[in-house]
Amino acid sequence: MKSIKQLRKNSFFLSFLALTAVLLTFFSCKPEETKAENIRVESKIQAQLTSPPFVPAPVGARKAAKLVVDMEILEMEGEMTGGVKYVYWTFGGSVPGSFIRTRVGDEVEFHLKNHPDNKLPHNIDLHAVTGPGGGAESSFVAPGQEKVFSFKTLNPGLYVYHCATAPVGMHIANGMYGLILVEPQGGLAPVDKEYYVMQGDFYTEGAYGKPGLQPFSMQKAIDEHADYVVFNGAVGAISGDNALTAEVGETVRLFVGNGGPNLVSSFHLIGEIFDKVYVEGGSMVNENVQTTLIPAGGAAIVEFKVEVPGTFILVDHSIFRAFNKGALGMLKVGGNENEVVYSGTQLEKTYLPEGSVIQSMPVAEKSEKPENGQEKTLAEKITHGKQLYAQTCFACHQAAGQGIAGAFPPLAKSDYLNEDIGRAINAVLHGLTGEITVNGDKYNSVMTSQNLTDDEVADVLTYVYNNWGNNKSKVTPAMVKEQRR
Amino acid sequence: MLNSKLKTIVLTVICFLSIQVFAQEQKKEMAYVKGGSYIPLYGADSIWVKVDDFLLDPYPVTNADFLKFVNENPEWKKSGIKKLFADERYLYNWEDDYSLGENTSERSPVTNVSWFAAKRFCECQGKRLPTLDEWEYAAMADEDTPDARVKESYNQKILSWYETPKTFENNIGSTFKNYWGVYDLHGLVWEWTLDFNTVLFSGESRNDTGDRDLFCGSSTIGATDLMNYAAFMRYAFRGSIKARYSIKNLGFRCARDSENL
């Protein structure tokens, strides 16, 4: 009797337990109820940091932790574009600086180390920090010293960090910026490829492409006259061999920042539509976006599925920055054609309603320097020509002169070039419009006349003729002058 | 105990004797800087600062000079330095206590020295470190003008130097001789000043406000001319350092009052 009573009591107790469990489960199914500030951290881990265009592994299901970030500041010389050197100030040896990946509730223990060889004091302001100066005041560090400060990540999102030491604009202009990602609990949804791209504007004493070590121009920075607008710190940092890659059918996520210091980016990917944009790097998601605005000192996360193969060009759609100042990158997508999504050219024929008009660029009065008797050697011409090619021709005709099928004819092994040098010079000087046949393929587009001196035209063509299986012709300024008449 | 006391006395005597010996030739060697008034940083609440006539070493102190000092004052040797007076990087680039090693040039400016060491060095020469105002005043000059800060080219040159890596490896005298006959104030290394830390620079450059001693935040935010930018970088550097720091890009030179001769 007693035992039955006991049993009944037990079963009552058990069902109470079960009910409690159900209730608990029900409540715990509502995520993010805990305030970020109150999330407990149990373990201590070393943060993985990566140089652009790569990002560390996603946080996934990782619990909040004490995350140790070791960031070293390096002042170092680098290459802005072919033949142009620049002294960059960097977080972690790259522009933009190392990517930091955290999750909500992490306690970041930040070690900022100023390399002893450096000349200047620096600090860091992370937009992900809630606190005065974003950490700037606590992290002000002399060369050869280390400062440590901690913060808790309260708000999920993609944030810019940068140096905030006087003159702040100069430190940013020299490349002292990067991104820190705070993922929500459970992480962002998995994707196939993730990349890190950050735009910045640069101000040099010499104009775009002027060779040699170019010092920073404070006056141009104040006037906001950028000589270079680039992705990831240099012209061509993510094109050619360094292009981003993906395969047809994959979903790509780009973490895009803008370090400034001055310019706002109209970020656009030619030939793709962003399926999702985390507007300004925050929690609001916009869908089906062509161009997203990224403020200086701001960021955005963009996601898209790549359906067709080909080369997709990343640009700042303030478009002269892309074609004249370097704001151009590439995403190369491999895989099979999908003609339902994109057919390629199906028909081509001449359309000439009122005769063709060749577009022309404004031509500055060139001072025709008389030859000082010293002819350049072939090697010198080719070196100079290579730089000019990277600045002037590369965007359309591509790194190895292969062109883009259907749009821009190849310069590599080009019968069109090798048959007639005069015709090639003419095209560079005066532009070229209308149908031409190159290596058996028909092209019908417009090349604008190029604003180059005789000497420059000679060198860039010599470079082209002496590469990629062409006939090794040497083009002289005199030959160019002949064609100007 | 007695031994060490004796040692200190002997060293002090040596130090004192060398002062006497060097005093006369120094008078000839040092550059005479005629005093005047100047505005350190231009801003909304800029103030004039008066600087008296003074003498300044034409060159920064070299590794060879400092090696001699260490030989005469072994308590300042690399391995013997008190932690209070210098951090772990003191004379880091020297091979050991009494030799520079192959990678350190005798004629390069001595760097990786703390403020305490620099101050003591100058005292042993019967000199002192220049004050911040004296240093800034002398450094306004280019080759032919006492205050060249209004020239855009001059400021651009200074800014370019601030960006050039590893200039501490160059020899003294490798930059220009200024109006006062002083070399290398710009273009070689940063230099300690006697009162380097009197300018408050908090590290949060955007926040420094006008009520600070010398530094006016209004000028940080409102600065439009290059002259201020060059100066800001020096003040920022000074604000980031402490007296025991030994830094690869930081050397010093000595000064003295003109009437003390």
Side-chain angles (χ1 to χ4, degrees):
Chain A
M1 189 68 183
K2 194 179 176 189
S3 69
I4 290 171
K5 209 174 186 181
Q6 186 72 44
L7 197 67
R8 194 178 281 165
K9 220 177 195 174
N10 271 354
S11 75
F12 181 75
F13 180 66
L14 277 173
S15 55
F16 174 76
L17 261 183
L19 183 69
T20 315
V22 166
L23 280 173
L24 273 175
T25 318
F26 177 73
F27 282 117
S28 67
C29 275
K30 286 174 74 184
E32 306 294 331
E33 275 300 292
T34 329
K35 274 175 72 184
E37 196 184 330
N38 301 327
I39 296 174
R40 299 261 305 269
V41 302
E42 278 148 19
S43 59
K44 180 171 177 174
I45 50 178
Q46 184 74 30
Q48 181 199 1
L49 302 180
T50 57
S51 304
F54 303 108
V55 294
V59 301
R62 169 169 84 70
K63 288 188 172 156
K66 188 175 194 72
L67 191 67
V68 181
V69 175
D70 276 308
M71 184 70 86
E72 186 183 37
I73 295 165
L74 293 165
E75 300 165 4
M76 54 197 268
E77 191 179 297
E79 192 164 55
M80 180 69 75
T81 183
V84 182
K85 306 278 185 207
Y86 191 78
V87 176
Y88 294 95
W89 299 346
T90 71
F91 286 107
S94 61
V95 177
S98 308
F99 195 97
I100 309 168
R101 194 160 192 160
T102 70
R103 57 149 286 172
V104 164
D106 278 349
E107 283 176 24
V108 180
E109 183 183 292
F110 207 101
H111 295 245
L112 191 63
K113 300 165 179 183
N114 195 348
H115 194 279
D117 282 358
N118 291 348
K119 204 163 242 171
L120 295 161
H122 298 283
N123 62 6
I124 193 165
D125 166 353
L126 300 116
H127 292 178
V129 168
T130 306
E137 192 160 348
S138 325
S139 62
F140 189 45
V141 58
Q145 300 287 322
E146 174 180 344
K147 283 275 177 79
V148 182
F149 67 102
S150 292
F151 62 92
K152 195 164 182 80
T153 49
L154 302 182
N155 306 68
L158 182 62
Y159 299 94
V160 168
Y161 66 76
H162 63 88
C163 183
T165 301
V168 179
M170 183 176 180
H171 283 254
I172 294 175
N174 281 341
M176 297 200 77
Y177 46 76
L179 292 178
I180 174 170
L181 173 67
V182 182
E183 293 198 58
Q185 182 171 328
L188 293 167
V191 292
D192 301 301
K193 292 275 162 63
E194 291 184 325
Y195 292 109
Y196 171 21
V197 176
M198 198 155 180
Q199 181 172 324
D201 28 309
F202 288 86
Y203 303 82
T204 52
E205 281 295 295
Y208 181 91
K210 185 165 184 214
L213 180 64
Q214 289 297 329
F216 166 70
S217 168
M218 184 64 87
Q219 196 58 55
K220 283 185 183 174
I222 293 168
D223 298 341
E224 304 193 12
H225 291 157
D227 296 284
Y228 296 87
V229 182
V230 296
F231 296 123
N232 291 0
V235 178
I238 45 170
S239 55
D241 291 344
N242 303 319
L244 312 179
T245 57
E247 292 297 315
V248 166
E250 287 186 328
T251 301
V252 180
R253 175 182 288 143
L254 301 179
F255 297 102
V256 191
N258 183 7
N262 290 323
L263 302 180
V264 167
S265 175
S266 306
F267 187 71
H268 176 80
L269 181 50
I270 300 175
E272 262 300 342
I273 295 153
F274 303 135
D275 299 330
K276 273 189 189 178
V277 174
Y278 292 75
V279 178
E280 292 164 3
S283 305
M284 187 171 86
V285 173
N286 196 1
E287 294 181 346
N288 305 321
V289 177
Q290 55 188 313
T291 300
T292 191
L293 206 61
I294 307 180
I301 305 173
V302 303
E303 293 175 10
F304 51 92
K305 187 175 171 197
V306 282
E307 278 95 357
V308 297
T311 299
F312 297 82
I313 312 285
L314 290 71
V315 294
D316 178 342
H317 216 297
S318 299
I319 207 70
F320 276 101
R321 297 176 188 166
F323 293 105
N324 298 68
K325 297 187 173 181
L328 197 137
M330 286 180 191
L331 170 70
K332 288 184 178 167
V333 179
N336 296 325
E337 295 286 353
N338 181 347
E339 296 199 354
V340 175
V341 176
Y342 183 71
S343 70
T345 306
Q346 288 173 308
L347 172 73
E348 57 182 77
K349 59 180 186 179
T350 312
Y351 170 65
L352 295 170
E354 307 166 309
S356 68
V357 179
I358 292 175
Q359 296 183 20
S360 68
M361 303 262 289
V363 179
E365 282 298 315
K366 296 284 177 192
S367 59
E368 290 294 341
K369 280 183 299 188
E371 290 295 323
N372 52 6
Q374 290 233 326
E375 279 238 347
K376 277 191 230 168
T377 65
L378 183 64
E380 285 169 345
K381 286 172 77 74
I382 290 175
T383 310
H384 185 220
K386 186 177 181 182
Q387 289 167 15
L388 289 165
Y389 186 85
Q391 291 153 21
T392 312
C393 322
F394 166 85
C396 297
H397 293 292
Q398 303 290 297
Q402 74 271 32
I404 291 177
F408 306 116
L411 304 180
K413 278 188 204 156
S414 165
D415 56 3
Y416 188 87
L417 292 182
N418 293 324
E419 275 163 21
D420 187 345
I421 296 181
R423 183 168 66 181
I425 295 172
N426 231 306
V428 177
L429 287 179
H430 305 117
L432 187 60
T433 298
E435 186 176 293
I436 58 169
T437 305
V438 182
N439 296 347
D441 293 325
K442 287 199 165 91
Y443 292 87
N444 193 348
S445 53
V446 175
M447 170 170 167
T448 60
S449 94
Q450 301 300 314
N451 187 10
L452 299 172
T453 64
D454 290 354
D455 198 41
E456 287 169 335
V457 173
D459 288 355
V460 76
L461 281 172
T462 303
Y463 168 71
V464 170
Y465 274 113
N466 284 274
N467 272 291
W468 316 315
N470 288 324
N471 66 7
K472 303 204 181 300
S473 300
K474 186 173 164 185
V475 180
T476 64
M479 292 160 72
V480 179
K481 205 179 188 99
E482 189 62 30
Q483 295 295 331
R484 274 203 201 271
R485 301 213 169 105
Chain B
M1 185 66 182
L2 186 71
N3 197 9
S4 84
K5 206 171 232 174
L6 195 70
K7 206 166 145 193
T8 313
I9 291 168
V10 169
L11 286 172
T12 312
V13 169
I14 291 175
C15 185
F16 182 73
L17 282 175
S18 37
I19 290 172
Q20 296 305 308
V21 176
F22 291 133
Q24 284 313 306
E25 44 184 288
Q26 273 164 14
K27 192 178 174 184
K28 277 176 257 162
E29 279 173 8
M30 293 180 83
Y32 182 80
V33 182
K34 181 152 182 52
S37 292
Y38 85 113
I39 296 175
L41 286 166
Y42 283 74
D45 46 4
S46 50
I47 43 163
W48 287 89
V49 172
K50 189 171 172 291
V51 176
D52 292 330
D53 298 0
F54 66 101
L55 297 170
L56 189 62
D57 283 351
Y59 302 105
V61 174
T62 63
N63 280 306
D65 298 336
F66 204 80
L67 183 61
K68 187 160 172 281
F69 164 75
V70 171
N71 273 309
E72 288 162 4
N73 303 274
E75 72 271 29
W76 292 96
K77 72 183 176 202
K78 191 173 164 176
S79 67
I81 188 85
K82 291 197 168 54
K83 290 285 166 260
L84 192 63
F85 294 146
D87 68 13
E88 296 82 350
R89 299 193 66 84
Y90 180 69
L91 297 177
Y92 193 78
N93 53 335
W94 286 20
E95 191 172 69
D96 56 44
D97 283 346
Y98 300 108
S99 72
L100 304 178
E102 277 177 17
N103 299 323
T104 305
S105 161
E106 288 196 341
R107 295 195 27 89
S108 309
V110 65
T111 60
N112 289 313
V113 285
S114 66
W115 176 84
F116 293 104
K119 180 169 172 285
R120 186 69 187 142
F121 177 97
C122 291
E123 285 166 4
C124 275
Q125 319 281 317
K127 305 180 189 175
R128 57 173 172 76
L129 285 170
T131 65
L132 192 148
D133 282 323
E134 285 169 344
W135 196 98
E136 286 286 326
Y137 181 81
M140 299 189 305
D142 67 357
E143 289 89 336
D144 45 24
T145 347
D147 185 355
R149 297 182 302 168
V150 290
K151 297 183 189 172
E152 194 183 313
S153 60
Y154 182 65
N155 296 294
Q156 186 62 48
K157 224 191 306 182
I158 296 176
L159 283 172
S160 312
W161 171 64
Y162 291 167
E163 294 189 296
T164 311
K166 298 200 191 273
T167 47
F168 56 85
E169 288 170 351
N170 298 344
N171 285 345
I172 57 156
S174 58
T175 75
F176 69 96
K177 178 182 184 176
N178 83 1
Y179 178 83
W180 306 109
V182 180
Y183 293 81
D184 303 330
L185 285 167
H186 304 288
L188 208 58
V189 288
W190 303 111
E191 295 182 12
W192 284 111
T193 58
L194 193 60
D195 51 346
F196 71 95
N197 54 359
T198 51
V199 175
L200 290 177
F201 196 95
S202 67
E204 170 47 303
S205 329
R206 300 155 297 183
N207 240 358
D208 290 311
T209 48
D211 55 357
R212 302 284 178 122
D213 208 357
L214 237 178
F215 196 84
C216 15
S218 46
S219 43
T220 333
I221 293 155
T224 50
D225 57 335
L226 301 176
M227 171 162 111
N228 282 342
Y229 276 104
F232 283 144
M233 294 175 78
R234 287 195 297 278
Y235 283 93
F237 181 83
R238 290 176 188 131
S240 78
I241 56 179
K242 295 198 170 109
R244 64 187 286 274
Y245 285 8
S246 310
I247 295 178
K248 216 169 189 171
N249 275 301
L250 175 59
F252 69 101
R253 74 178 74 214
C254 307
R256 66 192 300 169
D257 298 351
S258 67
E259 64 267 27
N260 280 4
L261 279 177

